[in-house]
Amino acid sequence: MKRVSGENQIIITDVRDLDLEQTLDCGQSFRWEKQPDGSFSGVAFGKSVNVSLDGTDLVIKNAEEADFRLWHDYFDLGLDYGKIREDISKLHPVLAEAALYAPGIRILRQEPYEALCTFIISQNNNIKRIKGIVARLCESFGDELEEGVYTFPTAERLAKLTPDDLAPLRAGFRNRYIIDSAKKVASGEVDLELCKTADYEAARAELMKITGVGVKVADCTLLFGMHRVEAFPVDVWMKRAMEKLFPDMTANDFGEYAGIAQQYIFHYSRMHPELFSE
DNA sequence: ACCCAGGAAATTC
DNA sequence: GAATTTCATGGG
């Protein structure tokens, strides 16, 4: 893998096991928008970029060479998903099928607070509306990078607000959860860095100190914001999938890469709702 | 009108 | 303690 830069863009070559649609629009991140030309535009780490895949070249426009490692890591290109898929496919034939169905899913290494906040918003909600609320959150309290392009607000910024200040987001009962998370993260009462290294149960307990964070939101935060790929979030889709497709397995049976298996199963299930209605 | 959505808190039994 | 209800909002 090498870098090619210049003209205000980075190209990461020899990229395998990545499909932008599968990775950026599978419900792990809510900040990427597909463009008419098939590329995706979004903001991460306070930087606005456009990404596209040309064969095995990942083209990142509006990026500078110094951020090569940043984007390389964001797309988790240091992990061999082909090998992982091969290994976990041995666990169950349906998992093998699900992995084959969307082999271009990768677990993004998102910023911890963004993952926490967006998955607080996700509860008892649907992906389309989550994206709308997140967009209004950024427009209202993020920094404008370009015309109509905003950063994700920091916990420190949101900690100065009250739940009523979030009314324009139309996030309903989740407003007070967002504020509680911001206050506890900004004050250090909840240590997101600790969650990257603490043992799993301790990390989960740390996040669950926040009102509005239960087991599922904590697991999503750990998986998508701390790259704890052993996390296995169970939402309504995963509950159905476990009951119908993996009745003989529990979360623990999926191993150290359970979170990656979970993404294959989640996506496969959402794309095949008929599996659960017949 | 009713039900559901990448759940969790509040209330009741 | 375990089971049920409620919590805002929007789409089907």
Side-chain angles (χ1 to χ4, degrees), chain A residues 137-240:
Chain A
L137 176 69
C138 296
E139 286 168 21
S140 302
F141 307 110
D143 296 326
E144 188 169 26
L145 294 172
E146 304 160 18
E147 179 74 31
V149 179
Y150 299 84
T151 63
F152 196 90
T154 62
E156 289 73 18
R157 171 81 170 92
L158 296 177
K160 296 173 181 170
L161 306 174
T162 67
D164 285 345
D165 292 326
L166 301 186
L169 307 184
R170 303 198 295 280
F173 63 88
R174 305 169 190 83
N175 288 342
R176 70 186 182 96
Y177 300 164
I178 296 170
I179 298 303
D180 191 63
S181 74
K183 287 186 186 299
K184 285 174 179 165
V185 169
S187 71
E189 183 177 346
V190 169
D191 186 346
L192 299 185
E193 288 304 310
L194 176 75
C195 294
K196 293 181 180 176
T197 55
D199 65 66
Y200 196 81
E201 289 303 320
R204 192 192 244 173
E206 180 75 4
L207 292 170
M208 289 173 65
K209 284 154 67 175
I210 298 164
T211 305
V213 177
V215 171
K216 192 271 177 179
V217 171
D219 285 346
C220 283
T221 304
L222 289 166
L223 179 56
F224 303 124
M226 285 80 174
H227 204 260
R228 300 291 296 253
V229 290
E230 72 271 43
F232 193 81
V234 178
D235 71 321
V236 292
W237 285 100
M238 288 303 297
K239 189 173 187 310
R240 284 195 284 256

Side-chain angles (χ1 to χ4, degrees), chain A residues 33-42 50:
Chain A
E33 288 297 333
K34 191 174 188 179
Q35 303 305 119
D37 66 359
S39 66
F40 283 80
S41 293
N50 172 274

Side-chain angles (χ1 to χ4, degrees), chain A residues 50-64:
Chain A
N50 172 274
V51 297
S52 54
L53 203 52
D54 180 8
T56 58
D57 287 354
L58 178 61
V59 181
I60 304 172
K61 294 179 179 169
N62 198 32
E64 53 190 59

Side-chain angles (χ1 to χ4, degrees), chain A residues 27-31 33 114-138 152 169-171 174 178 216 235 266 270:
Chain A
Q28 63 171 314
S29 171
F30 305 97
R31 291 274 279 153
E33 288 297 333
E114 177 174 333
L116 169 60
C117 189
T118 56
F119 279 94
I120 285 174
I121 292 168
S122 79
Q123 67 183 78
N124 197 32
N125 211 338
N126 60 71
I127 292 178
K128 183 175 181 181
R129 197 167 83 93
I130 296 163
K131 290 178 84 166
I133 293 170
V134 170
R136 289 189 289 278
L137 176 69
C138 296
F152 196 90
L169 307 184
R170 303 198 295 280
R174 305 169 190 83
I178 296 170
K216 192 271 177 179
D235 71 321
F266 173 73
R270 272 214 314 150

Side-chain angles (χ1 to χ4, degrees), chain A residues 15-26 28 53 75 77 81-82 85 98-108 260 263-264 267:
Chain A
V15 171
R16 309 288 169 180
D17 308 305
L18 174 63
D19 180 285
L20 293 175
E21 177 109 31
Q22 291 170 13
T23 294
L24 299 176
D25 203 24
C26 70
Q28 63 171 314
L53 203 52
F75 286 97
L77 299 177
Y81 279 71
R85 206 164 52 246
L100 210 59
Y101 180 73
I105 293 180
R106 284 175 171 270
I107 306 293
L108 298 169
I260 296 172
Q263 279 304 98
Y264 292 137
H267 187 261

